[in-house]
Amino acid sequence: RIIAAGHLNWDVTLRVTALPDPDGEAQITEQHRAGGGSAANVASALAGFGLAAGLIGSVGTDQHGRMATRELRTQGVDTDSVVTVEGETTVKYIVVDEAGEVMVLANDGVNEAIGPEAVEPAMVEGADHVHLTGQRPDTAAALIEVANAAGLTVSFDPGRRIEQRAFEPLLDQVDVLLLNEREATAVFPAASGPPIERAASPDRVIVVKRGADGASVYTGDETHHHPGFAVEAVDTTGAGDAFAAGFLAATVGGESFGRPGSGAEPDYERALAVANGSGALTVQAAGARSAPSRVALAAFLAE
Ligand code: ADP
């Protein structure tokens, strides 16, 4: 069982003819409403791959919170650790133009209502792995502690928040660190080559997501690269989350998506192919919750 911890939001994706200038107006050509938030996206994608998945997160007492939680439950995600607190669920208005350029508007919602004092061992009971996303650093630290005490492995995809100093001490404490190229460059002097190779070790594997150019895995001993899949990108929202879910499914989850397993050692070549396939299928559809099903991903990888 894999538990994701972090944001659960309600996303309203608006496709527009052009992003409006100040004082301007744009025409909405398509609207899409669904749950979002990095941690919730990962949990949802894992459930779609047929794996047991749970979520630690928070919503408000409004209808958006109820819809977002109900949707996850329908998708098979365990929402026992989703807490409802007084206030508004975080809503993101994601405005995407015809070229795929994105603008995001958000309210000050309650998606970070779980503080370190609320983190309990029961939240990770029965799990094999905990996946952390961008969230309060003190809560992330408490979750790492609880996971370590229970002997679970931990992955961390901090996203944009990586640049906050408070996250720095956590980066050494996780088994797998996932970063995109921009984030990798912010933490290590270069997104590839010696600095990142030196920072990685078998105990702290670093995965660098390279958009349309695929992704790399650094284990300290070895470097693996997969060039990604050439697809037409419609909306890249949630691509990193779908990638993370694919990577975790293929490593921690032992899911091979149609290929016989290769034994106990993680097969990073295969994990990168699976993760890039999951990301590539996600960018072909609108919205953040467009990760493929296990069957669709296996079929895509077999092509
Ligand atoms: P993030 O979304 O976290 O910033 P990336 O932009 O690197 O990270 O995207 C995550 C993954 O999604 C990539 O590693 C790749 O597998 C897939 N992906 C993203 N954009 C494309 C694209 N244009 N074509 C194919 N795959 C893509």
Side-chain angles (χ1 to χ4, degrees):
R1 195 152 93 99
I2 300 175
I3 311 269
H7 292 170
L8 165 54
N9 304 332
W10 186 253
D11 282 359
V12 180
T13 305
L14 304 173
R15 300 195 71 86
V16 296
T17 45
L19 298 179
D21 292 324
D23 282 335
E25 195 174 306
Q27 198 192 343
I28 297 168
T29 52
E30 210 181 303
Q31 298 189 32
H32 180 86
R33 286 154 205 276
S38 242
N41 294 342
V42 172
S44 159
L46 287 169
F49 295 151
L51 294 171
L55 179 68
I56 301 174
S58 48
V59 291
T61 45
D62 50 15
Q63 206 192 346
H64 288 136
R66 286 192 290 279
M67 289 195 293
T69 312
R70 195 184 315 127
E71 183 186 49
L72 283 172
R73 233 180 279 130
T74 309
Q75 290 167 345
V77 175
D78 178 347
T79 58
D80 283 358
S81 294
V82 173
V83 300
T84 303
V85 299
E86 205 55 54
E88 275 182 45
T89 299
T90 303
V91 181
K92 300 231 167 176
Y93 295 89
I94 302 162
V95 191
V96 190
D97 75 5
E98 281 168 355
E101 209 70 53
V102 178
M103 197 176 86
V104 181
L105 307 166
N107 64 342
D108 189 16
V110 296
N111 66 0
E112 298 207 335
I114 299 179
E117 72 292 341
V119 171
E120 307 167 3
M123 288 175 163
V124 301
E125 212 172 77
D128 305 293
H129 182 88
V130 176
H131 178 70
L132 304 175
T133 57
Q135 58 189 294
R136 287 174 53 168
D138 51 357
T139 303
L143 285 163
I144 292 174
E145 213 167 287
V146 160
N148 283 345
L152 315 180
T153 49
V154 179
S155 52
F156 190 21
D157 187 348
R160 251 179 262 130
R161 296 262 185 110
I162 185 88
E163 308 206 19
Q164 289 179 17
R165 296 297 296 264
F167 276 115
E168 250 173 58
L170 306 184
L171 304 182
D172 288 335
Q173 295 177 35
V174 298
D175 303 277
V176 181
L177 183 60
L178 297 113
L179 304 169
N180 69 19
E181 282 183 321
R182 197 179 50 249
E183 293 149 9
T185 318
V187 185
F188 307 104
S192 63
I196 213 156
E197 285 165 13
R198 277 199 297 272
S201 78
D203 295 328
R204 204 268 297 265
V205 169
I206 300 176
V207 184
V208 180
K209 299 170 280 179
R210 304 187 189 281
D213 296 325
S216 315
V217 171
Y218 300 88
T219 70
D221 298 336
E222 304 158 18
T223 297
H224 304 275
H225 180 73
H226 185 283
F229 296 96
V231 295
E232 197 175 326
V234 175
D235 179 4
T236 57
T237 322
D241 301 331
F243 176 97
F247 190 82
L248 293 176
T251 50
V252 190
E255 174 57 61
S256 59
F257 295 90
R259 170 164 324 155
S262 62
E265 286 300 302
D267 179 347
Y268 288 123
E269 302 282 336
R270 182 62 177 170
L272 282 174
V274 168
N276 280 326
S278 179
L281 287 170
T282 300
V283 303
Q284 288 180 281
R289 283 285 174 82
S290 43
S293 67
R294 183 200 350 213
V295 173
L297 182 51
F300 179 77
L301 293 169
E303 271 172 22

